[in-house]
């Protein structure tokens, strides 16, 4: 891995573990065993690193959430979307948690985020629409945008919400799985009769993951 | 108004207008035309003021969200709940916006918040259940808790969410009305045939309020 990529990777790990506001560029450099000067050769400041992580996040979503175009939307296809959603929320959990603060602090990032919202809103609608075409769900056409947006609001807010109701103010993988279950639940009223068995299957699968015993992760602090 | 109440009132106003992190106890005292010493006679620090605002918030919810016990749940009853929800979100908007930060900063407030969550979760379920008994909605009993929680997640996260997608990073009354519409939309699949006309009426009413021309408020900064 190149030094630049190592810095992004380590920063993301530390932000997720310790909270973005508790991590400085010096911490990141020390963790990597490089000099602060070496870090500053690659990034002007912490905002610059966060900006690169945000780009990774945007690319990750673009790669994993393309509407399904070939063949049927099977149970496997739906679960791969939900697994990707879990993976995104877990991998970039500090971003979800700190988003309002980060955007209010950095007008350039905010501009970028607003642009990304336009793309992602359309993608969310397209995803629901591909389920609709495959008779997995039956959503009145005039409600499609609003349902897509409702699910999005819950998913982007989930990490913050779970942190506020968590006794140790941390989120675990089980918390994220609860978010996946929640997004699934919001679609439940729209599932077609023939797809309800798939709904139950997915619900049971993610419920098992959400109620698995929480393993307190080892921290490096 | 007593000085203590004036301090709480002014702090809430300034936090809402300027953001909690931009307001110090000195700003609050100056705005009231009292000395910092006078303010410190009533409150130890800013956290202490926020704690009192949180108590007001808890009392406000307890006063306005009692499940309806006498007579039918009419359209007027439902709209008075939605109006109260709007009022709560607008009046305490800084609290919604800053909640994760405030709780992570103040363990005592977090403890208080967790206790409050137990009470409020039950109240949300009771509210939905009173709609159910009145045949306004028809929710499978096993889904009642989860629907109540889904709506709650959207409402408590709404101010933060709208701030992230707002060009000037501010929320206006129209944004809050969109949140009311969203909570209404999440109940739509469960409305009974006979109550759907009420749903449409409420939707149109709040949509008018949500799309009213935004008046940029005068600021005192």
């Amino acid at each position: 891995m190149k030094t630049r990529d190592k810095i992004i990777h380590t920063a993301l790990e530390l932000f997720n573990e310790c909270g973005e506001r508790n991590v400085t560029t010096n911490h990141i450099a020390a963790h990597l065993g490089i000099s602060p000067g070496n870090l500053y050769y690659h990034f002007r400041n912490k905002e610059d690193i966060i900006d690169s992580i945000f780009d990774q996040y945007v690319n990750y979503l673009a790669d994993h959430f393309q509407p399904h175009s070939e063949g049927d939307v099977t149970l496997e296809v739906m679960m791969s979307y939900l697994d990707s959603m879990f993976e995104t929320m877990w991998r970039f959990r500090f971003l979800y948690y700190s988003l309002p603060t980060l955007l209010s602090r950095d007008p350039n990032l905010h501009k970028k985020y607003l642009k990304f919202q336009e793309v992602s809103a359309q993608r969310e609608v397209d995803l629901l629409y591909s389920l609709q075409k495959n008779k997995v769900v039956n959503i009145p056409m005039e409600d499609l945008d609003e349902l897509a947006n409702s699910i999005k609001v819950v998913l982007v807010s989930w990490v913050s919400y779970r942190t506020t109701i968590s006794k140790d103010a941390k989120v675990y993988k089980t918390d994220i799985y609860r978010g996946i279950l929640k997004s699934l639940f919001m679609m439940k009223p729209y599932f077609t009769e023939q797809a309800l068995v798939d709904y139950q299957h997915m619900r049971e699968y993610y419920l098992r993951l959400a109620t698995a015993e929480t393993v307190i992760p080892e921290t490096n602090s």
Side-chain angles (χ1 to χ4, degrees), chain A residues 180-193:
Chain A
I180 302 301
L181 279 168
K182 189 65 83 187
S183 67
L184 202 53
F185 174 77
M186 290 170 76
M187 294 177 56
K188 186 185 176 192
Y190 303 99
F191 263 72
T192 58
E193 194 107 11

Side-chain angles (χ1 to χ4, degrees), chain A residues 55-70:
Chain A
D55 290 342
Q56 279 202 354
Y57 168 71
V58 170
N59 292 333
Y60 193 87
L61 286 174
D63 286 350
H64 291 81
F65 293 94
Q66 286 308 319
H68 190 71
S69 50
E70 287 162 42

Side-chain angles (χ1 to χ4, degrees), chain A residues 61-207:
Chain A
L61 286 174
D63 286 350
H64 291 81
F65 293 94
Q66 286 308 319
H68 190 71
S69 50
E70 287 162 42
D72 292 343
V73 174
T74 57
L75 181 62
E76 284 67 38
V77 172
M78 283 190 275
M79 288 180 77
S80 81
Y81 281 134
L82 294 173
D83 286 341
S84 294
M85 196 62 236
F86 168 83
E87 199 51 41
T88 313
M89 288 168 74
W90 180 248
R91 187 180 291 208
F92 297 99
R93 58 195 182 279
F94 98 87
L95 207 55
Y96 288 98
Y97 178 74
S98 303
L99 200 61
T101 314
L102 297 176
L103 298 183
S104 77
R105 206 164 75 188
D106 183 345
N108 284 327
L109 186 64
H110 195 193
K111 229 179 266 175
K112 218 177 198 178
Y113 186 75
L114 290 173
K115 227 170 170 177
F116 157 67
Q117 283 310 301
E118 291 169 26
V119 182
S120 78
Q122 189 53 50
R123 189 162 53 214
E124 291 138 23
V125 172
D126 290 347
L127 277 170
L128 273 192
Y129 190 63
S130 76
L131 295 181
Q132 177 98 330
K133 274 193 309 189
N134 277 270
K135 300 196 170 51
V136 174
V137 292
N138 184 14
I139 307 164
M141 283 310 284
E142 72 269 21
D143 289 343
L144 215 99
D145 287 30
E146 187 140 16
L147 180 62
N149 179 257
S150 304
I151 295 171
K152 189 259 257 325
V153 173
V154 167
L155 290 173
V156 297
S157 310
W158 193 252
V159 171
S160 277
Y161 168 68
R162 291 300 292 195
T163 307
T164 61
I165 61 160
S166 150
K167 281 205 174 69
D168 61 0
K170 275 182 170 283
V171 287
Y172 298 98
K173 287 188 173 181
T174 48
D175 292 300
I176 310 286
Y177 280 122
R178 290 218 166 267
I180 302 301
L181 279 168
K182 189 65 83 187
S183 67
L184 202 53
F185 174 77
M186 290 170 76
M187 294 177 56
K188 186 185 176 192
Y190 303 99
F191 263 72
T192 58
E193 194 107 11
Q194 69 195 76
L196 262 181
V197 55
D198 284 348
Y199 171 84
Q200 284 304 345
H201 183 92
M202 290 188 279
R203 171 155 184 89
E204 275 155 35
Y205 177 77
Y206 291 105
L207 196 57

